[in-house]
Every structure is written in structure tokens, then in C-alpha cells.
Amino acid sequence: MIQEKKILRIAIQKSGRLYEDSVQLLKECGIDLRNVKDRLKTVSENFPIEVFFLRDDDIPEYVEDGVADIGIVGQNVLLEKGRKVDTIEMLGFGKCRLSVAVPKAMDYSGVQSLQGKRIATSYPQLVKQFLQSNNVQASIHEISGSVEIAPGIGLADVVADLVSSGGTLFMNGLKEVEVILDSQAVLVANSKIDADKKDILNKLLFRMRSVRKAKKSKYVLMNVPNENLDQVIALLPGMRSPTVLPLAESGWSSVHSVLSEDEFWDRIEKLRAAGAEGILVVPIEKLIL
Ligand code: PRT
Ligand code: ZN
């Protein structure tokens, strides 16, 4: 009997703000994806995964129903749809917030100012929960796009919409007054995937985490006079400990280490003060711990 080869099906956005980053993440995980343009689905040739390209709004439902095993979707869409799927990993892209914004001239003194107002939004469930938890009665007008123009044309008094830079609100004479939700893209999974699929998912997760860790880290090389070595090494974490190699010029060493993004500039300044010179910073493609 020929055993059917197990394949993990992932749903990602077909086009839009999450598309590029989702495809790039899979590619950085070494997954070969050819002919992704204008396709409904594609199978990778070097990893047991099939990619479905869908509207983001449909992804939670497809994953809950098991049509896809996993998916990449914004938390804003996931929580609005209220589907039962497992959130596996925060992906760090597609960051935005769902916020309440009011006309610039409106007197706003806290959530109670929304009492009795008409709120235009594409996120009726999230807005309803927000109003309930703040004991505010207001009417919600669900519209699917261009929410920011609703006050200007008299359709609503205020809006609840996604914001990233804030430029759209500003251009429409609105000011952000409350954040309902901070959102980013997440990896979600059907809660009942079998052991074989879980194996593939774990392989994928291991790769995703290696890629993300690498992005947050830099490989640094520097020249250090030998008499300053102890001082410099004390400043460096390294994977185990830093690599120290002698330079051709006697009395000097080359020190190599890995620094994380958060502490990067702070460490670099301290390293210079400790006598490090010719500091070279190199991006890391993958980081396997
Ligand atoms: O066709 P499909 O249904 O798949 O796509 P869509 O049109 O519903 O969604 P799309 O592609 O616009 O966004 C997909 C996801 O990207 C969203 O669900 C969020 O998780 C995430 N995301 C991140 C954003 C933004 N940032 C964002 N700024 N989605 C939308 N916006 C819009 C916002 O609605 C507003 O119109 O951008 C405008 C505000 O941007 P700023 O920079 O001016 O503040
Ligand atoms: Zn959508």
C-alpha cells in the first residue's frame, strides 16, 4: 500500500498588507514557493506544505473548519471573527492598532464622551465589547471600507478603525482618542491537527523562530589591544563566549560576538570606550541555538 504523503496546508492573505511579509517569511524559512502570483494555491517542492491564498477575513474560518491546518492573520481579524483556533506564534509584522478617533474639534474627555454617539467601524464585535466593558451606550454602524470618511459625510459622529502611522486620520481631520486593541500578524492553527502535521508544524516553527532571532541579532567583529581584552570580553555575551583570534600585528586581537538589537547601541558605545576599534557589524541570516 502506498502511504499518502502528509502535507501541512497554510492559509495566507492573497493580496494586501500581509501578503508580502507572509510570503517572505516562508521563503526565509527555506520553503521554495514558485508561481505564487495570481494563484489560488501552490505546493512547495522542498517542504511538505501547501499554501492557500485567501482574503484575510476568511482565514480564521478556514482554519477552524480544518480546510487549512494553519494560517497567518492579523489579531484584529482573528478576534473580530471569534473563531476557535489556537494562536501559535506572534509574527512581529502587520503591526497596527484598532483605535477610536473623533473629529479634531470635538471635546473629548474620556470614554463617556462616546455616550449616545454613532460609531462607524469595520470591527463591530470588538467595538461592542469595548463599549460594554466601559459601560457606554452608542450605536455601531458597520461599514466595510473608507471608515475614516464617515464623520465628514455625516454617516457617523466618530470612527473605530485601524491605525498605523496615523496619517489617514490626520488627513481626514480626526484625532485618535482610545486604543481598543494592539494588533500584529499571528500564526494560528486548527486545534485538532494530527501528529504528522504537528511534526511539520514544529519544523516550520523552529525555522520561523531561527529567522526571527537572527533578525534581532548582529554579528560583531572588532580589533582590541590585548591589554584591554578582559574589559571588552566582559561586555560581550556571545553564544557561549566570544571568539578571540590573534591579529597579524602583535599585541592586538580580533574579537567576534553576537549582540541583540535591543542592547546593540548601548554595548557598542561601551565597547569603544573600553578600547575596541574597527568595529564591523554584519547581519545574520539564520540563528540556530
Ligand atoms: O482583501 P482582504 O480582505 O484580504 O484585505 P483587507 O483590505 O481587508 O486588508 P488589508 O490588506 O488592508 O490589511 C490586512 C491586515 O493588515 C489588517 O487586517 C491588519 O491586521 C494589518 N494592518 C496593519 C493594517 C494596517 N496596518 C493599516 N494601516 N490594515 C489596514 N490599515 C489601514 C487602515 O484601515 C487605514 O485605512 O491603513 C489606514 C491607516 O494607516 P495609517 O498609516 O495612515 O495610520
Ligand atoms: Zn479583509
Side-chain angles (χ1 to χ4, degrees):
M1 199 179 92
I2 302 169
Q3 275 241 315
E4 197 195 334
K5 202 175 151 233
K6 281 285 181 181
I7 201 160
L8 189 72
R9 297 156 306 169
I10 182 170
I12 66 170
Q13 198 188 18
K14 183 174 165 51
S15 65
R17 288 169 190 264
L18 301 182
Y19 169 79
E20 296 280 347
D21 285 328
S22 303
V23 168
Q24 201 197 334
L25 176 61
L26 294 176
K27 287 188 174 167
E28 284 170 343
C29 288
I31 296 170
D32 228 343
L33 292 179
R34 285 178 210 160
N35 311 320
V36 290
K37 275 267 163 267
D38 303 323
R39 284 284 201 97
L40 295 178
K41 56 182 191 169
T42 185
V43 177
S44 167
E45 292 186 7
N46 66 351
F47 193 82
I49 200 164
E50 181 170 24
V51 185
F52 294 164
F53 300 96
L54 299 168
R55 286 201 57 196
D56 65 347
D57 314 70
D58 297 332
I59 291 174
E61 182 181 347
Y62 275 73
V63 174
E64 184 187 42
D65 293 349
V67 176
D69 304 303
I70 61 173
I72 295 178
V73 68
Q75 289 171 301
N76 52 310
V77 171
L78 182 64
L79 296 171
E80 173 67 22
K81 300 289 175 192
R83 297 283 177 171
K84 286 194 191 65
V85 296
D86 297 339
T87 298
I88 305 291
E89 187 88 346
M90 311 282 241
L91 298 175
F93 60 83
K95 285 190 176 168
C96 58
R97 50 201 189 269
L98 177 64
S99 290
V100 178
V102 305
K104 259 183 212 131
M106 181 177 148
D107 244 349
Y108 187 86
S109 55
V111 271
Q112 285 306 323
S113 303
L114 299 174
Q115 188 71 32
K117 296 279 191 279
R118 295 170 301 161
I119 306 180
T121 188
S122 306
Y123 296 88
Q125 295 308 323
L126 292 173
V127 173
K128 192 171 141 198
Q129 288 161 20
F130 171 78
L131 293 174
Q132 273 172 358
S133 66
N134 284 288
N135 281 320
V136 172
Q137 270 81 45
S139 57
I140 297 170
H141 293 254
E142 182 178 354
I143 48 179
S144 55
S146 303
V147 172
E148 66 281 355
I149 65 168
I153 59 171
L155 198 67
D157 306 306
V158 304
V159 303
D161 199 11
L162 299 179
V163 184
S164 45
S165 68
T168 304
L169 292 184
F170 182 79
M171 303 242 289
N172 287 278
L174 300 169
K175 60 181 178 192
E176 189 178 359
V177 291
E178 303 285 343
V179 176
I180 299 177
L181 173 80
D182 278 305
S183 178
Q184 61 176 280
V186 287
L187 185 72
V188 294
N190 178 280
S191 48
K192 295 185 284 288
I193 57 173
D194 65 30
D196 288 337
K197 290 189 176 188
K198 212 162 229 162
D199 270 355
I200 306 172
L201 173 58
N202 284 337
K203 276 191 190 131
L204 180 66
L205 267 178
F206 177 75
R207 294 188 187 190
M208 282 184 175
R209 287 173 185 157
S210 302
V211 169
R212 288 206 61 204
K213 253 183 246 138
K215 278 196 181 149
K216 284 191 179 161
S217 306
K218 301 275 179 242
Y219 192 73
V220 254
L221 305 86
M222 67 207 81
N223 297 333
V224 181
N226 287 346
E227 62 268 23
N228 294 26
L229 267 180
D230 288 347
Q231 219 183 324
V232 165
I233 287 169
L235 289 167
L236 290 169
M239 304 284 278
R240 282 193 191 282
S241 69
T243 308
V244 181
L245 301 165
L247 285 189
E249 189 182 333
S250 72
W252 283 78
S253 296
S254 170
V255 178
H256 303 195
S257 185
V258 174
L259 283 184
S260 87
E261 207 173 52
D262 334 325
E263 57 181 3
F264 182 75
W265 284 111
D266 182 51
R267 291 293 172 106
I268 292 289
E269 281 156 18
K270 288 185 175 139
L271 288 166
R272 289 187 65 214
E277 287 181 13
I279 303 174
L280 194 65
V281 181
V282 191
I284 299 174
E285 199 180 287
K286 310 272 185 314
L287 187 58
I288 318 291
L289 295 176

